[in-house]
Amino acid sequence: AVLMTGPGRRRVGSGAAVVAIAALLVSCGGAPPSVRGDGSPATSVNAQVGADHACVVPGSTRPALDWSALRNPILSDPNAGEKDQALVWAFGQWHMLFSYVTHDVPVAGAEHWNIATAASPDLVHWSPPVPWPAQSGVAGVASPDIVRAPSGAFVATYDSGPGETNGGQAKLYYRTSSDLVTWSAPSLLAPELHPQPGDRLIDPALAWTGHGLVLGYKYGPVSNADSQHFEVAWSPSGSLAGPWQVVGRPDIVVYGDTVENLEFVALGGRWWVVATSNRFDQPWIFQLVGDPSRPSAWRRWGHGRMLGIPSQGWDSGPGISSVGFEHANSVFLCDARGATGYYYATYAGSSELTHFGGWGHAEIGIARSTDLIHWQVPTPSG
């Protein structure tokens, strides 16, 4: 009882399946579901590699953020849904990329997906969203992630969900920028991995490890939701152009299912992945087990736990998350401890899932933590 509703979601259906899953959650008493992996200590990564993935760009001015002035949601648009965000502090501003969903219709597939950018000096006052120009050959674009290449260039990865205009399925793309304002033309990312038009790839994330370039993504046919999975590939040269080779499926299982909306991040000398559970759309974090210089190690993850971001009125509602509303979906983690003493998590939420083709009128909020366990949210607007 599942319903595929767009480029990045597998929504739990109604009826007996929902009742059974709700009972499972109650019986678990909030304890983490089974996560495979031996939980042994992870090997440290080179500190400079982590700097390439920092959301506060090394050498930048101190980020401006007055927590007492923030109100959730921090970014919203009366005429668009905004979600799948990525956030970077550079050049004296916060820069956000996000999925920008327009055409508020109740019919799934009739909404329009794009990526937009916005900037803010303080996360309170935002520039108007600037959608990317229409990309030739695709029906829309979505799910951006931002990292920096070893060269210093910013790299935005994303997918072409809800599909290619030639009848094929979503593929992966990237664009580069030196200033987070002007972007290169789009390029296909790792097209040799799954080259058939019916192969569906979404939610790409990159990690330059010092021993090549790792790519994480969600892969599987849209016709069979149960076969979709988180997959890892590797470019030994460290180049976005590859050549790329499949490493395999990581051993992460949450609520008996896979994860999506991926972000690789280096924290405390370790590699981690932040991801959304494919079922219930909840935020999770996992630590890499083993030596990150070995591609096969990127299949093994442990120490998984859900990020307990508190609910508020704007991202909660009746029913179950991912069915009646969205709570803390598509989390993007920003480690700003060196500047402010906190981790920050931006995330998408909606109190309903009827607008914009059933995706809901998504807005973007923020939470903070000193330990990734205890989270605080600002006062909601209104």
Side-chain angles (χ1 to χ4, degrees), residues 120-219:
S120 171
D122 53 12
L123 297 181
V124 176
H125 306 93
W126 289 89
S127 65
V130 179
W132 279 359
Q135 182 171 323
S136 176
V138 303
V141 293
S143 196
D145 189 54
I146 302 177
V147 296
R148 284 195 313 135
S151 66
F154 296 96
V155 181
T157 53
Y158 60 99
D159 62 66
S160 63
E164 307 279 348
T165 57
N166 63 5
Q169 290 297 321
K171 298 295 184 284
L172 308 182
Y173 292 86
Y174 70 91
R175 300 174 71 176
T176 61
S177 175
S178 61
D179 58 8
L180 294 167
V181 176
T182 304
W183 293 88
S184 69
S187 297
L188 269 170
L189 176 59
E192 67 268 38
L193 293 178
H194 305 283
Q196 299 304 313
D199 292 333
R200 179 176 182 264
L201 299 84
I202 63 170
D203 295 344
L206 297 172
W208 271 276
T209 67
H211 300 272
L213 174 59
V214 171
L215 167 66
Y217 55 99
K218 184 181 175 185
Y219 169 67

Side-chain angles (χ1 to χ4, degrees), residues 58-131:
S60 298
T61 58
R62 181 183 177 87
L65 195 160
D66 178 3
W67 184 258
S68 65
L70 295 179
R71 297 290 182 270
N72 265 345
I74 61 170
L75 189 68
S76 62
D77 188 318
N79 300 309
E82 298 173 328
K83 59 186 303 178
D84 307 327
Q85 71 296 324
L87 183 69
V88 174
W89 171 267
F91 313 114
Q93 291 193 100
W94 293 101
H95 300 261
M96 188 179 286
L97 266 68
F98 48 92
S99 296
Y100 191 66
V101 191
T102 54
H103 300 178
D104 187 3
V105 292
V107 180
E111 76 284 355
H112 182 259
W113 290 79
N114 199 355
I115 291 172
T117 63
S120 171
D122 53 12
L123 297 181
V124 176
H125 306 93
W126 289 89
S127 65
V130 179

Side-chain angles (χ1 to χ4, degrees), residues 298-345:
W298 289 77
R299 297 197 303 261
R300 301 176 58 232
W301 299 84
H303 307 288
R305 63 178 180 270
M306 189 167 71
L307 302 178
I309 296 173
S311 296
Q312 297 180 285
W314 67 278
D315 72 337
S316 61
I320 297 174
S321 178
S322 81
V323 179
F325 63 94
E326 288 283 16
H327 162 66
N329 192 3
S330 60
V331 160
F332 184 87
L333 186 66
C334 175
D335 182 5
R337 287 173 299 166
T340 69
Y342 289 94
Y343 299 98
Y344 296 93

Side-chain angles (χ1 to χ4, degrees), residues 226-268:
D226 290 330
S227 69
Q228 296 176 22
H229 56 269
F230 171 22
E231 189 161 278
V232 170
W234 181 52
S235 168
S237 69
S239 170
L240 288 161
W244 290 91
Q245 59 191 57
V246 174
V247 173
R249 303 182 185 186
D251 58 356
I252 292 175
V253 179
V254 180
Y255 307 125
D257 206 343
T258 190
V259 292
E260 58 188 15
N261 290 110
L262 310 167
E263 176 198 4
F264 291 126
V265 61
L267 305 172

Side-chain angles (χ1 to χ4, degrees), residues 22-80:
L24 172 64
L25 291 178
V26 173
S27 68
C28 289
S34 172
V35 178
R36 293 196 292 268
D38 64 13
S40 59
T43 303
S44 294
V45 300
N46 186 300
Q48 294 303 311
V49 174
D52 287 336
H53 295 259
C55 70
V56 177
V57 174
S60 298
T61 58
R62 181 183 177 87
L65 195 160
D66 178 3
W67 184 258
S68 65
L70 295 179
R71 297 290 182 270
N72 265 345
I74 61 170
L75 189 68
S76 62
D77 188 318
N79 300 309

